[in-house]
Amino acid sequence: MEVSGKLNEGAASWETVIFLYNSALKEVGTKLEILNDEFCHIHRYNPIEYIKSRIKTPESIVKKLKRNGYESTIDNMVKHVNDIAGIRVVCSFTSDIYRLAEMIGKQNDLTVVSVKDYIKNPKESGYKSYHMLVTVPIFLTDGVVDTRVEIQIRTIAMDFWASLEHKIYYKFEGHAPEYISRDLQECAGIVSKLDAKMLSLNEAILRAREEEETQGSF
């Protein structure tokens, strides 16, 4: 059953809903850590640099509902705000992002609801990230509740840029001066070039290592 279904029965309060989202973050966070550990065990390489999780603040939820023309109710919150529970996964290289997304998609007890690839199709502002909206079953004493979690996967450079953009967005309430927006877009281009260069460098290092191992085996 969906969280909204639970609310329609009148059985959920704000505390219950936040409990469900926090539980979902724990579930997804643990899965990501296990995937990272397994990958490191098999390939001697960890694709995840670090993981951050958060629950959207009541103020942010209300703003988003109003912006989209909905009343500020718990029912609308659950039905129409997909990123209440959010996990940010930061990787070293763009190749790690797609590798990790594929691994997440293969988890039997996670359902991928939607995917937005802002890396191949950046936002107008220059924002890049890979978004996955998933549902995870939360097992309670009186049933199972499928709860949504938004997973954002990005590189360290993308995360640095996005953090700055987020601060500017709230500073100017979404209406930054033209020159700031222009400079941010320019920085987004620099970030893309940096990611591409670092990926190329990493691939060169891996090739060199393979050649050394091949030569050493003779």
Side-chain angles (χ1 to χ4, degrees), residues 97-120:
I97 294 173
Y98 293 102
R99 183 182 293 118
L100 186 59
E102 183 180 2
M103 292 162 66
I104 293 170
K106 290 180 179 178
Q107 295 287 297
N108 290 333
D109 52 351
L110 282 183
T111 301
V112 178
V113 178
S114 64
V115 168
K116 293 181 180 178
D117 189 344
Y118 294 117
I119 298 173
K120 292 180 179 176

Side-chain angles (χ1 to χ4, degrees), residues 151-165:
I151 304 172
Q152 298 180 356
I153 316 174
R154 56 181 71 151
T155 63
I156 297 171
M158 291 176 194
D159 189 53
F160 174 65
W161 185 95
S163 295
L164 179 59
E165 190 222 19

Side-chain angles (χ1 to χ4, degrees), residues 115-182:
V115 168
K116 293 181 180 178
D117 189 344
Y118 294 117
I119 298 173
K120 292 180 179 176
N121 302 289
K123 291 186 178 181
E124 186 177 348
S125 64
Y127 174 85
K128 284 188 171 186
S129 187
Y130 191 93
H131 291 196
M132 300 179 74
L133 180 62
V134 304
T135 60
V136 58
I138 303 301
F139 293 85
L140 305 175
T141 54
D142 60 345
V144 181
V145 183
D146 291 321
T147 308
R148 283 176 289 182
V149 176
E150 184 186 66
I151 304 172
Q152 298 180 356
I153 316 174
R154 56 181 71 151
T155 63
I156 297 171
M158 291 176 194
D159 189 53
F160 174 65
W161 185 95
S163 295
L164 179 59
E165 190 222 19
H166 183 75
K167 290 177 183 177
I168 291 173
Y169 179 86
Y170 277 95
K171 172 77 174 177
F172 294 100
E173 297 183 348
H175 301 287
E178 177 61 30
Y179 74 93
I180 290 181
S181 297
R182 186 174 59 251

Side-chain angles (χ1 to χ4, degrees), residues 74-91:
I74 293 180
D75 197 38
N76 282 339
M77 174 184 96
V78 174
K79 285 182 177 177
H80 303 296
V81 183
N82 290 325
D83 61 344
I84 293 174
I87 287 188
R88 186 188 309 162
V89 185
V90 178
C91 304

